[in-house]
Amino acid sequence: MWASSILQVMSRFAFRDWLSQELEKRRLVNPRYSLRAFAALLGTDHSTVSQVLRGKRRVPVAVLRRWGKRLGLAAEEVAAYVAMEHVPDALITKRQEELRHWTAEALAIMKDQTHWQIVRISQMPGFRPDCRWIAKQLGVSVDDVNVSLSRLLRLRLLKIERPRQWKVFVGRGTVSEAEFHKCALIRVRQLAADCGVTLGRINRKAASERSTIPWVSQ
Amino acid sequence: MGKPVRQFQIISKSPAETARFYSNLFGWTVNSDNPLGYREINTGSVDGIQGGIWPAPPQAANFVQLFTAVDDVQACVKHAQELGAQLIIPPTALPGGVELAVMHDPQGMSFGVMKTG
């Protein structure tokens, strides 16, 4: 029985929606039932209740529990509302995930030399488009090569239009490692921007020494 | 005719361990002796589809991609983007004659398209 009431709770989305319904239920019985009376029942002032009902004020967990109890909510229902009140906004969560993803991409480019080494070796005479050969030349595992290769393809820094033709999109002619990093980070910012995520300039020296990207505000 | 799902791909942060697990569980054979070092899975059956294992980047969760066979990867990518897909890996020609691309559908789920031969 409590499981079905939980489902009802989940369908109401927000505690303040339920609170608003409780006030209306009382007004249906007594049209003169005031917000002040409702607030007194909850043990608070009418201004606080008004702000909560208008969405101007969040309900702290302790207050939600107290009001829920005073209005006869079952413990499980209170717990469900507490959980729902503290679920992060879906849009914010998505943005945070995107930021984490692009930060991880940039960090990987900066800290793992395999990316630069693949770019460098792919332009050298005698290059073999064979990840096992590349791994042997670079002294890393095939999986390391493939993780880096995937990232280079995702970031459009490398393109394989024909099996033996690996085209690099990093500057003109032979580029240094520093130039590669610069181009790569610009590409990360461009692709992040295409996804609606704005990244600032990066302090490259600090990034290479730390485990997080210190994005500099523009 | 049609657009069959040709291959499944397990993206794993621990590809060697994943290969070992499914080999032990299902008796699949895993062979990485190819220019990509790609762990090709042979399920040992003509039913169903074969697959492979690819290493995941550190920030990704483990997941499974399905690759659908198409006649023209470039055209399919263009059409998919018109339908709201996001291109992740542009059309790429792999050794052995396979061309593939990886996208996210409008709901954010990863999928691949491929053309063999």
Side-chain angles (χ1 to χ4, degrees):
Chain A
M1 182 156 166
W2 66 263
S4 65
S5 66
I6 295 292
L7 289 172
Q8 287 174 13
V9 163
M10 301 302 282
S11 70
R12 291 175 202 160
F13 302 113
F15 180 71
R16 68 178 170 84
D17 296 320
W18 177 80
L19 203 66
S20 180
Q21 286 177 10
E22 285 296 303
L23 176 60
E24 281 314 301
K25 267 166 48 177
R26 285 158 175 79
R27 284 178 171 166
L28 279 173
V29 173
N30 176 7
R32 295 176 65 182
Y33 189 80
S34 68
L35 185 63
R36 284 181 190 278
F38 193 52
L41 175 64
L42 296 174
T44 187
D45 61 277
H46 75 279
S47 172
T48 298
V49 177
S50 173
Q51 287 175 46
V52 168
L53 291 175
R54 285 182 291 123
K56 299 292 185 192
R57 190 168 177 165
R58 289 186 70 94
V59 184
V61 170
V63 172
L64 194 157
R65 289 189 200 284
R66 192 164 61 241
W67 290 3
K69 193 176 176 183
R70 287 187 178 221
L71 290 171
L73 271 181
E76 294 84 4
E77 291 173 306
V78 170
Y81 276 123
V82 167
M84 280 196 296
E85 286 293 311
H86 294 86
V87 168
D89 179 82
L91 193 58
I92 293 173
T93 301
K94 187 171 188 303
R95 282 283 177 260
Q96 287 173 342
E97 283 170 6
E98 294 269 7
L99 182 59
R100 260 196 298 274
H101 167 74
W102 293 112
T103 300
E105 295 281 75
L107 193 67
I109 290 281
M110 294 294 296
K111 295 183 92 60
D112 186 351
Q113 276 202 322
T114 309
H115 303 86
W116 154 243
Q117 296 290 1
I118 290 173
V119 165
R120 183 184 61 82
I121 204 173
S122 69
Q123 306 305 297
M124 289 172 64
F127 169 68
R128 287 169 57 182
D130 183 320
C131 294
R132 299 166 299 181
W133 178 84
I134 295 171
K136 198 171 177 184
Q137 300 301 307
L138 303 185
V140 298
S141 72
V142 176
D143 285 337
D144 286 341
V145 170
N146 285 335
V147 168
S148 297
L149 176 62
S150 296
R151 185 170 288 110
L152 291 169
L153 291 171
R154 278 199 302 278
L155 296 179
R156 319 291 195 265
L157 296 170
L158 183 75
K159 189 165 183 175
I160 308 177
E161 289 176 336
R162 283 190 282 279
R164 301 195 69 81
Q165 186 181 356
W166 290 28
K167 197 172 174 184
V168 172
F169 291 87
V170 183
R172 291 178 184 275
T174 306
V175 296
S176 67
E177 187 174 4
E179 286 166 328
F180 165 72
H181 283 164
K182 185 179 174 184
C183 290
L185 293 176
I186 289 172
R187 184 59 54 83
V188 169
R189 283 209 302 278
Q190 286 170 344
L191 290 173
D194 291 345
C195 295
V197 177
T198 302
L199 304 173
R201 288 183 300 109
I202 179 174
N203 183 325
R204 279 182 279 159
K205 183 174 183 304
S208 66
E209 294 165 358
R210 290 158 59 175
S211 60
T212 58
I213 294 283
W215 296 109
V216 176
S217 303
Q218 286 179 323
Chain B
M1 291 294 292
K3 300 285 187 297
V5 176
R6 178 75 68 190
Q7 180 166 316
F8 66 87
Q9 177 161 270
I10 302 172
I11 310 293
S12 170
K13 288 197 236 198
S14 304
E17 287 79 357
T18 297
R20 196 155 38 242
F21 173 77
Y22 286 105
S23 291
N24 289 338
L25 180 63
F26 295 133
W28 292 351
T29 55
V30 181
N31 178 15
S32 58
D33 189 18
N34 52 73
L36 264 184
Y38 182 58
R39 290 176 176 83
E40 293 176 333
I41 293 172
N42 187 326
T43 64
S45 172
V46 296
D47 291 334
I49 55 176
Q50 309 302 323
I53 304 170
W54 188 256
Q59 73 267 24
N62 297 336
F63 63 100
V64 176
Q65 277 168 339
L66 297 177
F67 279 79
T68 300
V70 297
D71 300 319
D72 185 330
V73 172
Q74 300 264 7
C76 182
V77 164
K78 184 168 182 285
H79 188 203
Q81 288 177 305
E82 288 165 357
L83 293 173
Q86 181 189 357
L87 183 61
I88 304 300
I89 303 276
T92 298
L94 301 178
V98 174
E99 186 186 7
L100 60 77
V102 175
M103 292 173 273
H104 282 174
D105 70 16
Q107 287 70 46
M109 192 175 73
S110 180
F111 72 102
V113 295
M114 65 190 292
K115 180 184 175 187
T116 55

